[in-house]
Amino acid sequence: MRFAKKRLRATASTAVAVAMGAAALTALPATASAATDGLSVQYRTSATGASADQAEPWFKVKNTGGTTVQLANVKIRYYFKADSASATYRFACSWAVKGCANVTGTFGTLANPTATADRYLEIGFNSGAGSLAPGADTGDMQLRFYQSTWAPLNQSDDYSFGASQTSYGDWSKVTAQLAGTTVWGQAPAGNDPTNPPTDPPTDPPAGGATLFDDFNYSAYNDPKVSAHGWSVRSTSGGPGVSGATWAPDKVTFATTSGNSVMNLETSTAGTGESTKQTEIVTNARKFKNGTYAARVKFSDAPKYGPDGDHLVQTFFTINDLTAPMADDYSEYDFEYLPNGGWGEPANILYTTSWETYQADPWVAVNQHTEGRQSYNGWHDLVLTIDNSTIKYYIDGQLFGTHDAAYLPERPMSINFNQWLIDLVGQTSTTARAYDEQVDYVLHVKDQVLTPAQVAAKVTAYRSAGTTFEDTVPSS
């Protein structure tokens, strides 16, 4: 990103708090309740009162199937009624057999609110939680959530709350998903959590102002690069290692498997002066609501030299911070750290939606989702923004849903960059270099496309021999 990135992960690597704003309702597909094969969920509450300082839903998840289940593929949803339209909530884990560091909690809004539910808490797991053999369960997960103001909660009208459930028992008023398919429980009417849709349309909607670029260029200084609205960065400044330069000649283009591909190379020999980072950005800030998509190849290992640098490989959209804590700032990131960094010991992928920040003293307002696993190789990345929600998809699967409080107020640019957080991950002075590759980028203004529709639209461009189109009007 273009700003001093040390600000970003100050919250994203440590916060379990997720702020939730007053949200218009998110449109999700309604599907029938799934069968109960594969998983079961037991629930108890440690806060039984109709009113409480915090809700305390405790869970055990059991593998009722015949094969081992990776917990990173499991999601649980607990449904509740917000205490007011503007209420914001925070999640915490008091204790878990699998370790609180391996349990995540995020909040979302329901497509079809009912008398007992308009929000949900989604519990997930990172790779450190491991797996469940057939018949095994997670053991205790002692979880809680509360209003960010610490105002009392009214639990009596919450769909998933059971005041009499003071010992563990099967509880069908929470849902569990396994690899995106609902396998346990019954959601409030019209709100089955299956994502993406089980039968999404594959034909893209007609019309819609669009940017499509297949990155069919000869070099960074090909006149078509600037003519098509891109700037390959050569200016100094953050993010990244102090003293590093942004090297436009390290942005190159080639043909791979019949498709033109852009390559961003970042290299270092262990000093700021030897570090060369790469970025390409649209000159115009004219992108806001709609669909953003790119096919990106992340790399876990350098193409030469010793491994271990704290590298960031990205696809994001952003505008400028006009003043500290300005409420019209917007930023939406895919960021992959193949060797960790920002306090993380190993590979991790973040999606982060930003409302605003202040650099000094550090204050950040954002929401993030993280995946602690390797994302080495090619991935289809899709971001959608409408008037109520922000969604991130990876390879067709919903990765994160972020709230209306983080919607953009002003148009943004589209960016790709690759840079080093610091030089402490690998202290060698031996030269090394890393690649991030990009196959295409797509933006469709004011239309939310499914991942299948994105793929169909890209295929249509390529079948027609179209390598570039930009019909998105200037802001």
Side-chain angles (χ1 to χ4, degrees), residues 207-227:
T210 301
L211 167 69
F212 172 73
D213 201 330
D214 212 15
F215 295 111
N216 188 14
Y217 303 112
S218 60
Y220 77 94
N221 52 3
D222 185 331
K224 291 190 298 180
V225 173
S226 59

Side-chain angles (χ1 to χ4, degrees), residues 250-281:
K250 297 299 183 180
V251 178
T252 58
F253 303 87
T255 299
T256 302
S257 301
N259 291 330
S260 52
V261 172
M262 176 173 65
N263 190 83
L264 284 73
E265 178 187 293
T266 293
S267 60
T268 188
T271 64
E273 293 71 21
S274 67
T275 301
K276 295 183 177 181
Q277 305 176 141
T278 42
E279 179 173 42
I280 184 169
V281 54

